[in-house]
Amino acid sequence: VPELPEVETVARQLARHLEGRTITRVHTHVDSLRRPLQGGKLRADVEGRTILRIGRRGKYLVVELSDDARLMLHLGMTGTFRILSRSQPRGKHEHVVFSLADGEQWRFFDPRRFGMVESFAPGQDDWPPPSLAGLGPEPLGPDFHGDYLHQCIRGHRQAIKVLLLDQRLVAGIGNIYASELLFRAGIRPGRGGRRLTRPACARVVCATREVLTEAIAAGGTTISTYTNVDGEMGMFDRELLVYGRGGEPCLVCGHPVRQRVQAGRSTYFCPRCQK
Ligand SMILES: [Zn+2]
């Protein structure tokens, strides 16, 4: 499932490929992805508009169009983008296709259909939608720091790993990177939020920045299906220290890495390195 580094990688690539280009037509080939696709609204909001800027907020892609129109996209579990010539036949799972003025097409491929493609009309005050407005600070931005994290989680009985996955607390962290950053911070994923001191929170923030920055530099992680816009897989898999390594020796101390299920998700940690 794509997390912040994968979405950031895609955003940067889409920006490089698409900024400055004009969308002439939008074709929707299914009725719904995660939510119903509003084909008529998409066409009205997007057709004829130029792509000015493509960025990321949490795990969402935000496309700013001319006339103050916008697109918001989410990769869901299996979403990827392709930029292909119009003459290339449409693939089976290419559910939304944006035709560009120069004859190429920007296609959203999503076999599991948990992704999202939504548009916002120019000058409407429904921007930002609740799914964006409710997000916590960006983990690589200045508002995510030790004091902030400490304020948010003190008094919480819930495990630190589960708290970090709450997008209202901090945006974009998912299951893989939560395990990795807690290993680097030396903190057990099952430790209750209220049992983290201020210095421990500062270590979590520091480890978060390190892991996400390195993962972005490696083009993200490809656990199952993620590929970037150029069809390449992320390279961060080989740098994962605990995720997916249950029973294997810890790369720091040699003790077997433990695997637990927490809130329905697999969690990995070293019982010796993490307290
Ligand atoms: Zn260890």
Side-chain angles (χ1 to χ4, degrees):
V1 177
E3 301 181 27
L4 186 152
E6 293 76 50
V7 182
E8 179 67 26
T9 301
V10 169
R12 290 180 186 183
Q13 288 182 321
L14 289 178
R16 198 157 61 231
H17 284 288
L18 295 175
E19 282 177 5
R21 296 169 80 175
T22 298
I23 297 170
T24 50
R25 295 286 306 276
V26 186
H27 319 261
T28 52
H29 296 281
V30 287
D31 291 334
S32 65
L33 297 172
R34 182 195 310 188
R35 299 186 201 161
L37 267 175
Q38 297 179 278
K41 177 168 167 52
L42 262 175
R43 286 188 286 278
D45 293 346
V46 169
E47 286 183 355
R49 300 220 150 87
T50 299
I51 297 166
L52 301 181
R53 196 180 155 273
I54 300 182
R56 178 196 56 74
R57 177 78 176 99
K59 300 178 199 173
Y60 292 91
L61 290 159
V62 176
V63 181
E64 292 173 20
L65 302 166
S66 52
D67 305 320
D68 210 25
R70 291 183 179 89
L71 269 172
M72 181 171 86
L73 308 107
H74 195 285
L75 299 173
M77 298 177 71
T78 55
T80 53
F81 294 102
R82 297 163 171 177
I83 295 162
L84 299 167
S85 159
R86 186 184 305 172
S87 62
Q88 189 116 343
R90 186 175 66 88
K92 190 176 170 204
H93 300 292
E94 291 173 352
H95 301 309
V96 183
V97 175
F98 299 90
S99 289
L100 304 166
D102 51 24
E104 284 198 310
Q105 293 183 325
W106 172 29
R107 303 179 184 182
F108 183 54
F109 169 89
D110 185 13
R112 296 284 300 273
R113 289 168 59 177
F114 280 100
M116 182 198 287
V117 178
E118 283 181 14
S119 63
F120 297 83
Q124 293 292 303
D125 49 12
D126 58 352
W127 184 266
S131 43
L132 286 189
L135 290 175
E138 285 291 321
L140 296 174
D143 297 334
F144 185 61
H145 48 70
D147 284 346
Y148 166 81
L149 182 61
H150 190 241
Q151 287 292 333
C152 289
I153 69 173
R154 70 179 187 186
H156 276 270
R157 210 177 273 268
Q158 250 182 336
I160 178 62
K161 187 201 164 212
V162 176
L163 290 165
L164 288 172
L165 296 183
D166 183 345
Q167 303 296 300
R168 294 167 300 182
L169 185 135
V170 57
I173 298 177
N175 198 41
I176 298 171
Y177 296 106
S179 277
E180 288 300 306
L181 73 91
L182 287 169
F183 177 76
R184 294 205 195 191
I187 291 163
R188 286 215 192 182
R191 206 155 125 192
R194 61 183 180 175
R195 292 188 52 235
L196 265 73
T197 60
R198 191 177 298 239
C201 288
R203 288 213 308 281
V204 169
V205 168
C206 191
T208 302
R209 292 179 187 280
E210 258 179 45
V211 168
L212 295 179
T213 304
E214 288 172 27
I216 291 169
T221 302
T222 302
I223 292 297
S224 55
T225 57
Y226 164 79
T227 55
N228 68 26
V229 179
D230 299 323
E232 300 158 346
M233 298 192 293
M235 303 297 272
F236 196 66
D237 300 40
R238 62 187 66 174
E239 294 169 52
L240 296 174
L241 298 178
V242 283
Y243 187 86
R245 299 192 62 252
E248 294 174 36
C250 168
L251 294 171
V252 172
C253 76
H255 194 280
V257 170
R258 225 172 256 175
Q259 181 178 2
R260 285 265 183 287
V261 175
Q262 250 186 319
R265 319 285 304 274
S266 279
T267 298
Y268 300 88
F269 65 100
C270 172
R272 196 173 285 169
C273 294
Q274 291 169 262
K275 302 292 176 208

